[in-house]
Amino acid sequence: KKNRHYFVHLGLTSQKKALFCPLHPVLFITSALLGSCKKPRAEFQLKRINYSAGDMLDYENYSSNQYTCTWQVLNDKNEVLSEYEGNYPVIRLSVLIPDGLYSLRLIALNKNENKSDISESKQFLVSTERRSMTINQGGAGNNGQKSYDVFVDGELIGHGKPSSVNSMNGRFQANIPVGVRHIRLVSATKNKQEVVNVTQSFSIFF
């Protein structure tokens, strides 16, 4: 009787451990189903509301129960200018974005396609001090008849090409934000990079 009581006690103890173990299959499946039923919550905070063109948006994501997040930058007409995926993507404003009022919209995506997604928006202002950048090409024997791409901070901002609308005799001009900028010029036969601290209008010979 004593031994029987001992083994029965062990059996009950083992059952309890198996039942309440976090990895028990029944409890695990139940937890997963309950988790999938939770409604996503879209919540974030912009740490500041004043930005310049080329800045990265400074934010904190407090969303929960989401499968993933979609972030959209919208203009004052509610048109989507750019879109990003993930819980914490790097959201950088274009160096050519005009001054004005914009919105950042967060959409918390639900894994269950039958449920609607939850969104939240915050407004911010863009005000930018700019300087003129001019790219001058050489003559026909020095790459003068070849088109080229102009990048600022990794963003393609335009194309320089003789006889095109935005260039004359190989010249390209754009107003870019002040500050330290990485300029890259690329043609079919040439690649040039410069880091420029933009404090006044400047020219680059390509």
Side-chain angles (χ1 to χ4, degrees), residues 55-74:
D55 283 355
M56 289 189 300
L57 296 186
D58 191 8
Y59 68 93
E60 283 287 346
N61 185 4
Y62 300 112
S63 301
S64 59
N65 304 324
Q66 77 277 13
Y67 172 59
T68 187
C69 290
T70 294
W71 304 80
Q72 297 174 335
V73 176
L74 303 97

Side-chain angles (χ1 to χ4, degrees), residues 22 29 38 41 52 61-62 100 157 187-188 190 196:
I29 294 171
K38 289 183 179 179
R41 179 172 65 96
S52 296
N61 185 4
Y62 300 112
I157 67 166
S187 72
K190 196 173 180 180
V196 180

Side-chain angles (χ1 to χ4, degrees), residues 52-198:
S52 296
D55 283 355
M56 289 189 300
L57 296 186
D58 191 8
Y59 68 93
E60 283 287 346
N61 185 4
Y62 300 112
S63 301
S64 59
N65 304 324
Q66 77 277 13
Y67 172 59
T68 187
C69 290
T70 294
W71 304 80
Q72 297 174 335
V73 176
L74 303 97
N75 60 17
D76 57 356
K77 297 178 182 177
N78 214 34
E79 299 169 331
V80 177
L81 304 179
S82 56
E83 187 169 281
Y84 305 83
E85 296 290 335
N87 290 325
Y88 273 99
V90 174
I91 303 175
R92 185 185 295 275
L93 300 175
S94 168
V95 295
L96 298 180
I97 191 171
D99 291 353
L101 183 65
Y102 295 85
S103 296
L104 177 63
R105 176 193 291 160
L106 164 62
I107 304 173
L109 301 176
N110 196 312
K111 199 169 186 178
N112 187 342
E113 295 181 359
N114 295 324
K115 291 191 175 182
S116 58
D117 303 322
I118 308 300
S119 65
E120 182 181 54
S121 297
K122 307 280 187 185
Q123 291 185 322
F124 62 93
L125 288 168
V126 174
S127 180
T128 308
E129 187 179 355
R130 303 174 188 270
R131 297 292 183 268
S132 174
M133 174 185 70
T134 303
I135 312 297
N136 294 302
Q137 273 193 319
N142 188 22
N143 207 36
Q145 298 301 316
K146 299 190 181 299
S147 62
Y148 57 96
D149 297 329
V150 182
F151 296 85
V152 175
D153 294 342
E155 177 185 346
L156 177 64
I157 67 166
H159 310 277
K161 186 176 181 181
S163 74
S164 69
V165 174
N166 64 352
S167 63
M168 182 175 294
N169 297 325
R171 177 177 293 180
F172 175 91
Q173 190 276 330
N175 294 321
I176 65 173
V178 298
V180 178
R181 302 294 166 191
H182 178 225
I183 314 297
R184 185 183 176 204
L185 310 173
V186 181
S187 72
T189 58
K190 196 173 180 180
N191 189 329
K192 183 173 184 176
Q193 300 187 57
E194 286 192 20
V195 176
V196 180
N197 185 11
V198 181

